[in-house]
Amino acid sequence: YFTYYDKGRFTHWEDGSDTDGVAFGVEYLDDGTQLVAHEGSHDALDWWRNFQVRLMQHPDLGGIDAGLFAGNDVALGKIKTYLNKDKPVRLYAHSRGGSNAIYTGASLLLAGYKVAVRAFNPPRTQHQTSTRLSQIYAGQDILIIRTDCDPVSLEPPGYVHPVEPEKFTVAPVDLDPELEMKYHHIHLNIVGMALKERGFYGQFSS
């Protein structure tokens, strides 16, 4: 669950030791796209931060969760050193990494970068009293995909997603007590994104 990234495939990999606990990789694709992939919860610090639900007022992003945002300012500074502002940026991430991608993408958009975001079962990142993230992402290339039985993408309480997620319905064959967390995992999210991107999504969603 914690090691689904093959870190050797990235041109640059930051394990969080120099970026305030936020781990991410950067890769450059043949078409000029700059891929940034944030890792999900990968150590005790991430899990501690996950449960530090506290509203903060960010000067650019509005009302957001302090625990989910923790480390993002430091990581953003490092990410920018790897990016060419004249080339497109795509952020892909899962779970806590998805919240990092959403916050990072919004900051890059405000800085004038061309950004696309793909977040799989991320926690909710915008406080319900704020609309700032939604305003930043209005008309932008962002896709949030959640499996409909996933618990993480319905947390934390009092928060909402900046855009309406696309729901990917999963029908288990047998009763499975671990169903919710299994379907929080990234694999089915990737299937859902692939279906959406190829125009088949409506056939498989509720």
Side-chain angles (χ1 to χ4, degrees):
Y1 184 80
F2 303 102
T3 57
Y4 47 76
Y5 280 125
D6 177 1
K7 301 165 180 60
R9 298 185 66 180
F10 294 97
T11 301
H12 305 286
W13 176 261
E14 296 290 340
D15 64 5
S17 57
D18 294 326
T19 49
D20 197 11
V22 177
F24 64 89
V26 180
E27 183 55 54
Y28 307 103
L29 306 185
D30 291 341
D31 64 359
T33 300
Q34 304 166 106
L35 174 65
V36 180
H38 286 83
E39 191 172 27
S41 299
H42 69 285
D43 59 14
L45 176 61
D46 278 342
W47 284 102
W48 183 81
R49 286 172 166 175
N50 289 342
F51 292 99
Q52 303 302 305
V53 180
R54 177 173 57 85
L55 171 63
M56 67 174 287
Q57 292 295 335
H58 190 279
D60 297 322
L61 307 183
I64 59 176
D65 180 61
L68 294 176
F69 185 76
N72 269 274
D73 277 340
V74 176
L76 176 65
K78 189 70 171 180
I79 288 170
K80 284 182 174 180
T81 68
Y82 295 135
L83 300 181
N84 181 334
K85 196 172 182 178
D86 296 326
K87 295 183 178 181
V89 180
R90 279 199 170 227
L91 297 107
Y92 285 88
H94 166 252
S95 194
R96 179 185 176 85
S99 62
N100 291 332
I102 290 167
Y103 291 140
T104 299
S107 296
L108 290 175
L109 282 168
L110 291 174
Y113 290 78
K114 183 180 180 180
V115 175
V117 175
R118 300 293 182 265
F120 316 115
N121 280 339
R124 299 184 294 193
T125 49
Q126 177 176 254
H127 194 265
Q128 61 188 9
T129 62
S130 177
T131 59
R132 180 59 178 149
L133 276 179
S134 295
Q135 292 170 357
I136 294 170
Y137 278 114
Q140 300 296 328
D141 187 0
I142 177 173
L143 177 62
I144 296 175
I145 288 185
R146 63 173 300 266
T147 46
D148 61 356
C149 58
D150 170 59
V152 174
S153 54
L154 297 178
E155 298 291 338
Y159 289 77
V160 297
H161 293 290
V163 301
E164 186 67 24
E166 298 281 359
K167 188 171 68 171
F168 183 48
T169 301
V170 178
V173 175
D174 299 305
L175 180 64
D176 185 345
E178 298 179 357
L179 173 68
E180 288 188 343
M181 287 313 295
K182 283 184 178 179
Y183 292 126
H184 170 66
H185 213 314
I186 191 170
H187 297 101
L188 284 173
N189 286 181
I190 292 176
V191 171
M193 185 198 75
L195 294 172
K196 172 67 176 179
E197 298 279 17
R198 287 162 176 76
F200 297 108
Y201 194 81
Q203 300 177 36
F204 297 91
S205 63
S206 63

